[in-house]
Amino acid sequence: MESTDAIEVCHLADPAATDALGRRLASQLLAAGAADGALLLLRGELGAGKTSLVQGLAAALGISEPVTSPTFALAQHYDTDVGSDAGTTALVHLDLYRLEPGAAADELFAQEEEDARGLGAVLAVEWPERLSFRPEGAWEVALSHREDGEGRVARITPPGFRPPGVTPPPAAPPAPR
């Protein structure tokens, strides 16, 4: 693991390492999100490990049911099995891959973000590049295959990080009512 300014770069040798990264990110997301939930954007080509990372995240949140890619369902809500929070939604897993960029993706994201925030859940979004904006306050993980074919690389960007000289993206549009 190495740091480049505020971006963390992790070399992931196998799916177990990707799962472990998801487990570690869960504690960071919960600490940062407090009661309003937290937002995690997952970028990467097909097979890069986005769902494997969410599986680790879910395990750390106390979710025991199998976590699969919501490519066809678009969104999955998972309840925790831990302590006094058992039975409450701890994770909303959203996959925008099948949606056209723009309005459809933006509308589904707004609905699921509102639900996740209301529940204090983590919202993990695969294919956020389908959105017409970059959501405020989001953590971002970009996963890619290593050029040597030996595992993957994860680049983790915390909320608010902007490389020097880069202007902030436009703000998110207001949520539909």
Side-chain angles (χ1 to χ4, degrees):
M1 184 178 348
E2 61 189 70
S3 288
T4 308
D5 295 329
I7 296 176
E8 180 182 345
V9 179
C10 299
H11 300 279
L12 307 170
D14 53 28
T18 305
D19 180 274
L21 175 60
R23 290 172 187 264
R24 183 171 60 83
L25 281 172
S27 63
Q28 291 177 284
L29 291 167
L30 292 175
D36 287 339
L39 177 58
L40 176 64
L41 306 178
L42 299 164
R43 298 181 185 276
E45 60 200 32
L46 289 170
K50 297 180 295 293
T51 300
S52 292
L53 189 139
V54 174
Q55 289 167 341
L57 179 73
L61 294 173
I63 296 165
S64 61
E65 69 182 285
V67 172
T68 59
S69 177
T71 299
F72 293 101
L74 301 180
Q76 297 282 10
H77 291 227
Y78 295 98
D79 296 342
T80 188
D81 298 327
V82 178
S84 62
D85 289 334
T88 60
T89 301
L91 174 66
V92 177
H93 187 190
L94 181 61
D95 188 326
L96 302 175
Y97 181 74
R98 295 185 59 224
L99 297 177
E100 290 295 320
D106 291 354
E107 184 176 327
L108 180 60
F109 172 81
Q111 291 170 347
E112 295 299 336
E113 182 186 36
E114 183 177 346
D115 285 352
R117 286 191 186 278
L119 296 165
V122 172
L123 174 59
V125 181
E126 295 189 32
W127 300 96
E129 54 272 28
R130 299 282 200 253
L131 296 170
S132 65
F133 61 96
R134 185 183 190 283
E136 293 280 329
W139 286 77
E140 185 172 314
V141 177
L143 294 160
S144 60
H145 295 278
R146 287 179 49 136
E147 289 181 21
D148 62 9
E150 299 295 322
R152 292 167 174 73
V153 174
R155 293 177 52 85
I156 305 164
T157 307
F161 174 75
R162 299 281 175 261
V166 173
T167 57
R177 301 235 183 249

